[in-house]
């Protein structure tokens, strides 16, 4: 009888390595647990983890050569495919560790892992370009290790050594990667210009813009779907959504706003990724209000809020008004809910999945939207149909009546709409 062979993709076996040192923002156990979730998101199976306690990383191998040899032996015994470090390794540290681990075991760091996840999840043209730019910027200083075998041949001397195979190939590759980086930056600049034009059009329209930000897997996409009835991609994994999704939402008062779901944040988010995704994060910087969505059931919720606020500060969005929205509150007890409200005064508590607390959240958005508005009475001629529609979509209509001369309405309007309506303003 013929033996059947499984065609299922074999998961790579991963060993995680972290360094516990003074002054860490997150406990090493929590940081490694998050690294494990990242590895699982990327399709790996975590089989073991190791922690090295140090005052500061060792320059040559990050964890010390003795510890590295011990991990190499453990990796071989457990049939490990990849060793993943929780911190970013320098190119020389990675090369030295690869030498110790052996040819059969890959060595990567948290940055490379996140870049790989982003590469798998980017779906739009701009998203793929942003990931490719970050990947090439990460790759450039690490090219030397990829041609080390040819460099070693050169150092032996003898016939052919004078041509410097390794160095020649290294320079060719560096030039190719630099050219690719330049091309990607140029393409992204063009897309960013187009995005600015679109953003300006939304600004000129006077539509109130709300951005959903938060730690990855906090439930931003689920909230977007619950509020707008859309079908944005939702999955219980880190970085399920990379590309911004914008939907319109009509508040009870009749005002129409836009709601944008953005890429999730994470601790130790690679700087090159933040730089590459700045055009996407521009959606956050252009918002009138930020909803900082937090997984209320996560024991690290307060640290996650701090991490998100740090990223917002880095991209220049710290001054935008924000509201903390605790999601997944259905998983908490009443006492735990009360504690959250004490810790974060003014926060909203909801369950996007169960659609609980959404009416209160929409009322809060409406309150924030009208906070800096002025009240005025206007009479708009009936032939100005577009302006009449704009009043109903972009203003809070306090009262209205149809007169002989046109629509007579008292409205609360933002600065842009107030300027638009100024020619039709009438005295009370």
């Amino acid at each position: 009888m013929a033996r059947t062979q499984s065609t299922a993709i074999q998961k790579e076996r991963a060993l995680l390595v972290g360094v516990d040192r003074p002054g860490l923002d997150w406990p090493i156990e929590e940081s490694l647990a998050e690294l494990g979730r990242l590895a699982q998101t990327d399709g790996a199976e975590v089989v073991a983890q190791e922690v090295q306690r140090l005052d500061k990383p060792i320059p040559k191998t990050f964890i010390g050569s003795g510890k590295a040899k011990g991990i190499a032996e453990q990796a071989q015994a457990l049939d490990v495919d990849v060793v993943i470090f929780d911190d970013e390794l320098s190119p020389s540290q990675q090369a030295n560790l690869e030498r110790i681990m052996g040819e059969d075991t890959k060595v990567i760091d948290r940055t490379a892992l996140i870049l790989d996840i982003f590469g798998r999840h980017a779906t739009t043209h701009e998203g793929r370009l942003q990931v490719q730019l970050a990947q090439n910027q990460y790759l450039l200083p690490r090219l030397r290790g990829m041609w080390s075998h040819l460099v070693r041949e050169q150092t032996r001397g003898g016939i052919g050594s004078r041509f410097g195979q390794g160095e020649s190939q290294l320079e060719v590759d560096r030039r190719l990667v630099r050219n690719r980086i330049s091309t990607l930056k140029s393409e992204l600049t063009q897309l960013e210009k187009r995005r600015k034009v679109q953003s300006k059009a939304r600004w000129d329209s006077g539509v109130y813009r709300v951005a959903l930000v938060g730690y990855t897997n906090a439930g931003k996409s689920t909230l977007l779907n619950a509020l707008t009835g859309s079908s944005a991609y939702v999955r219980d994994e880190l970085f399920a959504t990379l590309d911004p999704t914008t939907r319109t939402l009509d508040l009870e008062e009749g005002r129409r706003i836009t709601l944008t779901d953005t890429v999730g944040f994470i601790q130790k988010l690679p700087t090159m990724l933040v730089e590459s995704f700045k055009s996407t994060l521009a959606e956050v910087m252009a918002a009138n209000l930020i909803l900082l969505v937090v997984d209320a059931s996560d024991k690290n919720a307060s640290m996650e809020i701090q991490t998100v606020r740090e990223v917002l500060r880095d991209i220049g969005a710290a001054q935008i008004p924000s509201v903390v929205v605790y999601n997944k509150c259905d998983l908490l007890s009443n006492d735990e809910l009360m504690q959250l409200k004490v810790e974060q005064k003014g926060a909203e508590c909801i369950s996007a999945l169960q659609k609980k607390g959404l009416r209160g959240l929409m009322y809060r958005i409406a309150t924030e939207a009208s906070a800096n508005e002025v009240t005025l009475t206007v009479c708009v001629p009936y032939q100005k149909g577009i302006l009449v529609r704009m009043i109903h979509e972009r203003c809070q209509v306090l009262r209205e009546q149809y007169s002989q001369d046109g629509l007579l309405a008292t409205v609360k309007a933002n600065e842009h709409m107030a300027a638009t309506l100024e020619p039709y303003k009438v005295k009370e």
Side-chain angles (χ1 to χ4, degrees):
M1 183 176 177
R3 180 184 296 177
T4 59
Q5 187 171 352
S6 173
T7 57
I9 298 175
Q10 194 74 20
K11 285 188 175 182
E12 287 189 291
R13 295 167 63 82
L15 188 155
L16 312 182
V17 180
V19 171
D20 188 7
R21 56 188 188 275
L24 289 178
D25 294 331
W26 287 55
I28 188 63
E29 296 81 13
E30 300 297 335
S31 192
L32 280 177
E34 184 176 88
L35 185 68
R37 289 201 64 200
L38 286 167
Q40 290 165 4
T41 297
D42 207 27
E45 176 190 0
V46 178
V47 296
Q49 66 178 43
E50 283 290 328
V51 175
Q52 174 75 319
R53 288 175 173 81
L54 295 169
D55 290 332
K56 59 182 180 180
I58 306 299
K60 192 172 182 180
T61 57
F62 198 77
I63 54 173
S65 57
K67 183 69 172 179
K69 288 175 183 174
I71 290 175
E73 292 171 1
Q74 185 182 9
Q76 189 172 7
L78 294 173
D79 195 23
V80 165
D81 301 293
V82 57
V83 176
I84 308 173
F85 281 75
D86 192 34
D87 295 273
E88 186 169 335
L89 301 171
S90 70
S92 60
Q93 287 170 342
Q94 186 170 348
N96 292 331
L97 287 165
E98 285 173 344
R99 206 172 294 120
I100 294 172
M101 298 297 163
E103 294 182 358
D104 295 334
T105 306
K106 290 183 291 185
V107 176
I108 64 171
D109 56 19
R110 174 185 273 253
T111 298
L113 179 61
I114 293 174
L115 287 172
D116 197 51
I117 294 171
F118 271 50
R120 288 167 58 130
H121 289 190
T123 55
T124 66
H125 178 57
E126 183 176 16
R128 287 193 292 268
L129 290 178
Q130 289 165 334
V131 172
Q132 287 174 29
L133 175 59
Q135 288 174 334
N136 278 276
Q137 289 172 328
Y138 177 81
L139 174 66
L140 183 58
R142 289 166 171 78
L143 285 172
R144 175 174 289 275
M146 298 181 180
W147 294 101
S148 57
H149 63 291
L150 292 179
V151 175
R152 285 196 298 272
E153 284 182 18
Q154 179 190 344
T155 59
R156 295 176 191 165
I159 297 173
S161 63
R162 67 178 66 88
F163 296 104
Q165 302 170 27
E167 291 298 334
S168 297
Q169 186 62 55
L170 181 62
E171 284 308 312
V172 170
D173 283 0
R174 278 177 174 163
R175 186 164 61 251
L176 289 172
V177 173
R178 286 194 190 102
N179 289 343
R180 182 60 179 153
I181 288 173
S182 178
T183 301
L184 289 168
K185 283 183 174 179
S186 177
E187 288 189 58
L188 284 170
T189 299
Q190 294 303 314
L191 288 172
E192 188 171 1
K193 288 179 181 176
R194 193 180 309 163
R195 183 183 291 276
K196 284 181 178 178
V197 171
Q198 295 169 343
S199 181
K200 185 177 184 301
R202 285 198 295 271
W203 173 261
D204 291 341
S205 72
V207 174
Y208 192 78
R209 292 156 299 168
V210 179
L212 301 176
V213 305
Y215 215 73
T216 183
N217 211 37
K220 299 185 301 300
S221 298
T222 303
L223 178 56
L224 179 77
N225 292 343
L227 287 174
T228 66
S230 63
S231 55
Y233 179 73
V234 175
R235 192 166 179 179
D236 184 19
E237 61 183 22
L238 304 186
F239 299 118
T241 306
L242 291 185
D243 304 300
T245 303
T246 300
R247 297 288 184 267
T248 58
L249 171 64
D250 292 324
L251 301 179
E252 286 188 2
E253 65 191 38
R255 183 202 308 267
R256 177 164 292 178
I257 67 171
T258 62
L259 205 61
T260 300
D261 181 20
T262 62
V263 62
F265 301 149
I266 198 170
Q267 61 135 344
K268 302 179 185 176
L269 190 65
T271 304
M272 63 192 68
L273 265 178
V274 175
E275 287 296 318
S276 298
F277 275 76
K278 266 193 172 173
S279 59
T280 299
L281 295 173
E283 294 290 334
V284 178
M285 293 184 280
N288 300 107
L289 176 68
I290 291 173
L291 297 185
L292 202 167
V293 184
V294 188
D295 181 351
S297 65
D298 196 318
K299 61 183 177 181
N300 298 317
S302 59
M303 290 189 294
E304 291 172 359
I305 292 174
Q306 181 181 342
T307 297
V308 174
R309 292 202 186 280
E310 287 173 359
V311 177
L312 290 175
R313 187 176 62 248
D314 290 343
I315 66 174
Q319 78 288 351
I320 299 172
S322 63
V323 174
V324 173
V325 179
Y326 281 111
N327 189 26
K328 309 183 186 181
C329 288
D330 54 308
L331 303 177
L332 303 183
S333 65
N334 289 332
D335 289 342
E336 289 171 327
L337 268 177
M338 291 300 296
Q339 183 63 31
L340 278 185
K341 291 178 180 178
V342 169
E343 291 175 359
Q344 283 284 340
K345 290 191 181 342
E348 296 291 328
C349 295
I350 67 162
S351 170
L353 191 62
Q354 301 294 331
K355 297 188 176 181
K356 293 180 179 179
L358 298 187
R359 189 166 184 177
L361 177 59
M362 289 178 70
Y363 178 79
R364 179 67 179 277
I365 294 172
T367 302
E368 295 290 335
S370 61
N372 297 315
E373 293 182 334
V374 295
T375 302
L376 68 160
T377 300
V378 295
C379 184
V380 181
Y382 294 120
Q383 59 265 34
K384 300 285 185 180
I386 294 178
L387 193 54
V388 171
R389 190 179 70 195
M390 287 172 64
I391 287 174
H392 287 108
E393 290 183 350
R394 300 169 192 174
C395 302
Q396 181 180 357
V397 181
L398 302 178
R399 61 178 179 269
E400 64 179 335
Q401 67 182 70
Y402 293 91
S403 68
Q404 184 176 349
D405 299 323
L407 175 69
L408 186 65
T410 301
V411 301
K412 291 184 74 174
N414 61 25
E415 182 182 356
H416 181 274
M417 277 301 296
T420 302
L421 295 172
E422 182 64 31
Y424 310 96
K425 187 175 177 181
V426 298
K427 292 182 179 180
E428 292 284 352

